[in-house]
Amino acid sequence: MSHSAEILANWVLTISENPLMLLFLINILLFVVGMFLDAGSAIIILGTILGTIFINIGVDPVHFAIIMSVNLTVGLATPPMGLVLFVASSVSGERIESISKAILPFLAVEVAVIFLITFFPSLSMTLPRLLGLVSG
């Protein structure tokens, strides 16, 4: 049996053991992966590996799931290969280039939101806590 998940987890931890630095790097990775893969596929492929790493360094699993979902979803609409761009182009009849230009201000706000929910967990964890989905 292959131990590739364990090898990858150990490699990620050699980069840094600082959870904030790892979250920053994973944000970039997930954003790029979201440009090329559907969110569902990316979650199935990367979720178990990355989730285990971040749970072991003290990141709440619900918080990590929120970060992962938002990153991959934003990546779907990000040029050059965001899958949503092709759908929007097909539906609207507009060129992908014009849609990409029009979406840039929205992407800037979405990237800012990703960093806010990543580095200020209370923003994304308040509702799950109020609903009793997570402790603390």
Side-chain angles (χ1 to χ4, degrees), residues 1-28:
M1 183 164 92
S2 174
H3 294 282
S4 57
E6 184 179 331
I7 293 168
L8 179 62
N10 290 333
W11 178 77
V12 168
L13 290 173
T14 62
I15 295 172
S16 174
E17 289 189 19
N18 180 351
L20 295 177
M21 177 58 78
L22 289 175
L23 282 169
F24 176 76
L25 295 173
I26 291 303
N27 273 330
I28 294 170

Side-chain angles (χ1 to χ4, degrees), residues 23 26-27 29-31 33-35 37-44 46-47 50-51 60-78 110 113-114 117-118 124:
L23 282 169
I26 291 303
N27 273 330
L29 172 71
L30 292 172
F31 190 72
V33 167
M35 287 184 217
L37 276 178
D38 179 58
S41 303
I43 289 170
I44 290 171
L46 297 173
L50 298 176
D60 188 281
V62 174
H63 184 225
F64 182 72
I66 292 169
I67 292 168
M68 188 170 193
S69 299
V70 172
N71 260 298
L72 292 171
T73 304
V74 171
L76 282 172
T78 304
E110 290 173 343
V113 168
I114 288 171
I117 65 171
T118 300
S124 58

